[in-house]
Amino acid sequence: MQERMNGIGFSPAGYSPVIPSSSCFPKKLRVQPQRALSSDPYVLELAETLEDSFPSSPSTPLPLQNLRLSSSQSLLSTPWPSRRDEPFRFTDLSFIRQSRILPVSPTISLLTPTSHLPNDVYVGSLSSSSPSLLQRVSHFICPFPIGDLFFSINGIAAPDLTLVYVPEGCHVDIPIHLDYMLPPTPSTDDSDAAMHLSNPRVLVVVEKGAHVNIIEDFPASPENQNDSYWSNAAFEAVIGQGAKLTHSYIQTQSFRAAHIKWTSIRQEASSTYELTEVSTGGKLGRHNLHIQQLGPDTVTELSTLHLSVADQTQDLHSTLVLDHPRGYSRQLHKCIVTHSQGQAVFDGNIKVNR
């Protein structure tokens, strides 16, 4: 079953030909008609499609239900960005809007054997975590006030998330390697116009004095090297006092794909965050990086490389907010464009508050 609005077609369920009825969803998650009039019709239709494709269930943790609710409400008043909007002045999103969106469930594989991790380290779904751990991390799952439309799209389509929890004082000696693979997608009659959308979400909590190294890998599998799809990922991390997170992010997806990613980092006092990024894939590769200092004596080091070898746009928008004394930061960004239709966009913002 398909619905159409303004010439744009959507398939609400990636693996089911039938749209679940509205009775399947909590009343508070349904779009309110009186607010729909002020919304972008395209965004409104996309929001309803995502809600219908990934309904909440009684087993959905309450923090995720609240996240989905707040994301739904945010989407109602947020238009689809255009090149008239400053953050997207050099970034063309029209090929996404012109596609038929088919939501699919995200797949995140842990390539690090769990037997090699310390006993108290948890890597798995939030819904499968223990009640005590769920209670400990629940207050970190909250709406992001600086997030944009794509952060809200991820929130509304998050029936679950992957949780990485490192307890106080624990040093993890081997990297935790997360592999983001697009699941096998059903064939469509007009596959050229279809774009499968996945919304993987990861929450990392590194407690006081702990150390961990996390690798995020977004590859193009042999089955979908030339496929058109949309990966809309979100990675959130809370780094406790004196803790350290070393973060590697590798993006080599299909040259017909849209890859949009939010990375949100909160650093407590005397903590360290180190990011190394290499992005070479995607027709569009957009990374929104936001780092918030929550205490003094923080160290933030960012090293990023973007490469455009085809008709590609590689785009990094980074923001570092310093609210406490003695915050040290170092950022090195390099971009290489080797194609006449390729481009690289960089917007780096460091804000030192009063």
Side-chain angles (χ1 to χ4, degrees):
M1 180 179 293
Q2 296 180 6
E3 295 182 309
R4 292 193 175 270
M5 176 173 289
N6 290 347
I8 305 299
F10 294 89
S11 289
Y15 295 106
S16 172
V18 179
I19 305 175
S21 68
S22 60
S23 60
C24 297
F25 311 104
K27 200 169 185 180
K28 62 184 180 181
L29 279 180
R30 301 306 301 168
V31 174
Q32 300 300 316
Q34 64 270 23
R35 295 192 60 186
L37 296 175
S38 63
S39 303
D40 182 329
Y42 178 87
V43 174
L44 177 62
E45 181 74 359
L46 178 58
E48 292 181 340
T49 298
L50 292 170
E51 284 186 345
D52 290 351
S53 298
F54 303 106
S56 293
S57 68
S59 61
T60 302
L62 181 60
L64 282 180
Q65 293 186 36
N66 293 336
L67 174 65
R68 298 191 73 192
L69 173 61
S70 62
S71 298
S72 175
Q73 293 173 339
S74 174
L75 283 178
L76 293 177
S77 58
T78 307
W80 184 265
S82 73
R83 303 186 83 162
R84 293 189 298 270
D85 301 309
E86 181 61 29
F88 293 91
R89 187 157 60 101
F90 301 105
T91 306
D92 184 10
L93 301 171
S94 61
F95 75 103
I96 300 178
R97 182 162 183 151
Q98 293 166 2
S99 300
R100 184 164 60 91
I101 304 301
L102 298 128
V104 294
S105 297
T107 300
I108 303 178
S109 300
L110 175 63
L111 302 186
T112 305
T114 55
S115 59
H116 294 178
L117 298 175
N119 292 333
D120 294 334
V121 172
Y122 178 81
V123 183
S125 67
L126 181 70
S127 59
S128 299
S129 62
S130 66
S132 59
L133 181 55
L134 177 60
Q135 182 178 11
R136 173 69 187 97
V137 303
S138 288
H139 64 282
F140 297 126
I141 305 170
C142 57
F144 180 42
I146 313 298
D148 63 358
L149 171 82
F150 300 102
F151 195 83
S152 297
I153 289 174
N154 181 282
I156 202 174
D160 208 339
L161 61 77
T162 297
L163 172 64
V164 178
Y165 177 78
V166 184
E168 181 175 341
C170 178
H171 288 202
V172 182
D173 296 328
I174 62 172
I176 295 175
H177 193 159
L178 303 177
D179 187 67
Y180 297 73
M181 295 295 294
L182 188 74
T185 53
S187 60
T188 57
D189 295 335
D190 54 345
S191 58
D192 288 343
M195 178 173 281
H196 294 90
L197 166 62
S198 64
N199 292 276
R201 193 179 192 96
V202 173
L203 172 64
V204 177
V205 178
V206 189
E207 296 280 19
K208 179 179 179 180
H211 289 191
V212 67
N213 183 348
I214 293 179
I215 300 172
E216 289 188 288
D217 194 357
F218 292 83
S221 67
E223 295 79 16
N224 60 22
Q225 282 187 340
N226 296 310
D227 286 356
S228 176
Y229 54 87
W230 175 10
S231 174
N232 186 55
F235 178 96
E236 296 180 277
V238 181
I239 310 172
Q241 181 179 351
K244 180 178 181 179
L245 171 60
T246 303
H247 182 197
S248 301
Y249 161 44
I250 306 161
Q251 190 272 109
T252 56
Q253 296 196 308
S254 161
F255 283 173
R256 296 181 61 202
H259 179 87
I260 300 175
K261 182 176 188 290
W262 264 97
T263 299
S264 172
I265 308 296
R266 285 169 276 181
Q267 288 190 249
E268 299 282 357
S270 303
S271 65
T272 300
Y273 174 65
E274 297 177 354
L275 170 68
T276 302
E277 172 190 348
V278 177
S279 292
T280 64
K283 179 178 176 64
L284 167 63
R286 166 76 176 231
H287 187 197
N288 299 296
L289 172 63
H290 183 89
I291 303 167
Q292 179 77 50
Q293 183 197 38
L294 301 180
D297 301 302
T298 55
V299 175
T300 308
E301 299 201 29
L302 313 172
S303 300
T304 49
L305 171 64
H306 285 185
L307 178 63
S308 293
V309 298
D311 180 8
Q312 299 173 270
T313 297
Q314 299 289 356
D315 184 348
L316 173 64
H317 275 61
S318 66
T319 302
L320 171 62
V321 181
L322 300 173
D323 279 315
H324 301 270
R326 298 180 302 279
Y328 170 83
S329 68
R330 177 181 180 273
Q331 181 172 17
L332 175 64
H333 178 61
K334 292 187 177 183
C335 13
I336 301 174
V337 180
T338 64
H339 192 277
S340 60
Q341 293 181 295
Q343 68 171 345
V345 180
F346 173 59
D347 186 322
N349 186 310
I350 299 176
K351 184 177 182 181
V352 182
N353 287 324
R354 183 181 296 273

